[in-house]
Amino acid sequence: MQKYSQSMKLMGNNFTITVVADNEATGSRNIDLAVAEIKRIESLFTTYKNDSQTNLINDNAGIAPIKVDTEVYDLIERSIAISKITQGAFDISYGSIDKRLWNFDKSMKALPDAEKALKMVYLIDYRNILLDAQRQTVFLKEKGMRIGFGGIGKGYAAEMAKHILKNNNVKSGIINASGDLTAWGNQPNGKQWTIGIADPDNPNALFSYMEISEKAVATSGNYEKYVVIGGKKYSHTIDPKTGLPITGIKSVTIISDNAEFADAMATPIAIMGINAGLFLINQIPELYCIIIDDNNKIYTSNNINLR
């Protein structure tokens, strides 16, 4: 048995799919299955395709409910459930927040006006995503509201690709969506898959590693996209309640049994802050978390073993 990997751009992210197989032909065939599934999900949830179900919902905001596929309805329903447990720190409804308010390139010299930021976030409110289970429709109550799956889509795609592979008798592999990943089975040498946790000040260096077979891991960090204004580092993560970026946390890593849930929880924990975030994580079975603050202090949830 050997491992075979392929990397490509899917859903606007770099995906690396690794499978363990007897030979290259089988490995390749299995990787193709995973890619086809991720592309299928992308076409369903993308906002870059005019006729996608997501865009139909957005185009009819404040106008009419839209009937959607069960899969789309269910993901929106699960997203709203995560909004509830994170008190709105996770929210798939992004209103008019766009590049005019935040463009995280180095040319940004000042924070936007707090009042202007608040005006732009008034449309962000998961409670205005109205679902009708019988008709299987989604209605955005306010004109100008939009939904997007940037905070949960990669994890969902990784989870679905894993299911397809397991159903096709792939005993072991990893789906890695730009650092949000899910792993199952063992490496060809019989050992568990392991992951390195990056040092936020030096993303190419690792400060720890952990075994991740049968687990999913997602990281939200400010070390890739941020601006420094007045000597203070602002993350590209925006608090949906204020429209302003968060400070104080360099990275949040979530470990879960499910890639979709891990992906969805990483950003809201950063928004909630260290104490509230860890408190929430410790309430949820089989969910673990590592937080690194701006001073490189490491905080972990209960029952986590770093090496």
Side-chain angles (χ1 to χ4, degrees):
M1 291 298 243
Q2 263 183 298
K3 62 179 184 185
Y4 299 94
S5 283
Q6 207 179 324
S7 296
M8 69 210 69
K9 195 110 179 180
L10 296 162
M11 300 175 82
N13 288 279
N14 291 316
F15 272 73
T16 301
I17 295 153
T18 303
V19 296
V20 172
D22 289 330
N23 55 62
E24 197 172 342
T26 308
S28 252
R29 204 166 51 241
N30 286 328
I31 288 170
D32 289 346
L33 285 174
V35 172
E37 176 65 354
I38 295 163
K39 284 183 171 166
R40 181 190 73 78
I41 289 164
E42 179 171 21
S43 69
L44 210 51
F45 291 104
T46 183
T47 49
Y48 293 104
K49 224 177 71 182
N50 290 339
D51 59 347
S52 75
Q53 295 196 12
T54 310
N55 273 339
L56 287 175
I57 294 167
N58 290 342
D59 292 345
N60 286 279
I63 301 166
I66 294 296
K67 187 168 175 27
V68 293
D69 291 1
T70 307
E71 188 174 2
V72 176
Y73 185 92
D74 289 350
L75 185 61
I76 293 172
E77 192 172 47
R78 292 196 299 277
S79 297
I80 292 171
I82 292 169
S83 294
K84 285 177 182 162
I85 63 170
T86 60
Q87 290 157 359
F90 175 85
D91 201 321
I92 59 165
S93 71
Y94 59 94
S96 44
I97 280 212
D98 60 18
K99 295 280 190 290
R100 286 173 317 194
L101 187 67
W102 286 111
N103 64 348
F104 279 89
D105 59 21
K106 303 296 179 233
S107 69
M108 206 171 136
K109 295 283 181 275
L111 290 180
D113 177 61
E115 230 168 280
K116 183 182 164 201
L118 261 181
K119 273 202 186 88
M120 291 182 94
V121 294
Y122 85 97
L123 286 170
I124 301 178
D125 192 341
Y126 67 92
R127 290 165 301 199
N128 288 331
I129 306 170
L130 307 181
L131 301 181
D132 182 329
Q134 269 182 314
R135 294 195 174 89
Q136 208 169 294
T137 59
V138 182
F139 179 49
L140 306 182
K141 207 165 127 187
E142 302 287 336
K143 255 196 152 59
M145 260 182 94
R146 296 174 66 72
I147 57 169
F149 296 93
I152 196 169
K154 288 196 315 236
Y156 176 65
E159 200 60 37
M160 294 297 282
K162 176 182 83 176
H163 282 303
I164 290 270
L165 291 178
K166 285 176 92 167
N167 290 342
N168 276 279
N169 222 12
V170 177
K171 297 275 190 283
S172 179
I174 299 179
I175 312 283
N176 184 344
S178 284
D180 294 354
L181 57 89
T182 182
W184 70 101
N186 289 327
Q187 300 182 60
N189 64 8
K191 288 187 172 159
Q192 281 207 10
W193 298 107
T194 57
I195 180 179
I197 309 284
D199 174 343
D201 284 342
N202 181 6
N204 298 323
L206 304 176
F207 77 78
S208 180
Y209 75 92
M210 61 198 318
E211 292 179 340
I212 53 150
S213 290
E214 312 310 327
K215 292 265 179 248
V217 179
T219 298
S220 171
N222 75 1
Y223 43 85
E224 281 161 350
K225 262 187 175 162
Y226 61 88
V227 286
V228 177
I229 297 169
K232 198 169 183 184
K233 200 170 180 180
Y234 291 91
S235 159
H236 74 288
T237 301
I238 303 291
D239 182 337
K241 290 189 177 69
T242 62
L244 296 173
I246 64 162
T247 59
I249 290 180
K250 271 187 183 163
S251 76
V252 172
T253 298
I254 301 281
I255 301 106
S256 164
D257 294 341
N258 179 288
E260 175 195 311
F261 193 43
D263 186 12
M265 290 299 284
T267 301
I269 294 301
I271 291 167
M272 291 169 80
I274 295 164
N275 294 341
L278 289 176
F279 181 79
L280 176 62
I281 293 283
N282 286 330
Q283 309 302 307
I284 301 171
E286 302 304 318
L287 193 63
Y288 310 96
C289 167
I290 303 159
I291 300 174
I292 302 172
D293 73 7
D294 276 351
N295 303 316
N296 287 342
K297 189 162 181 221
I298 297 166
Y299 302 80
T300 62
S301 60
N302 300 341
N303 308 324
I304 198 165
N305 300 311
L306 288 176
R307 305 223 160 170

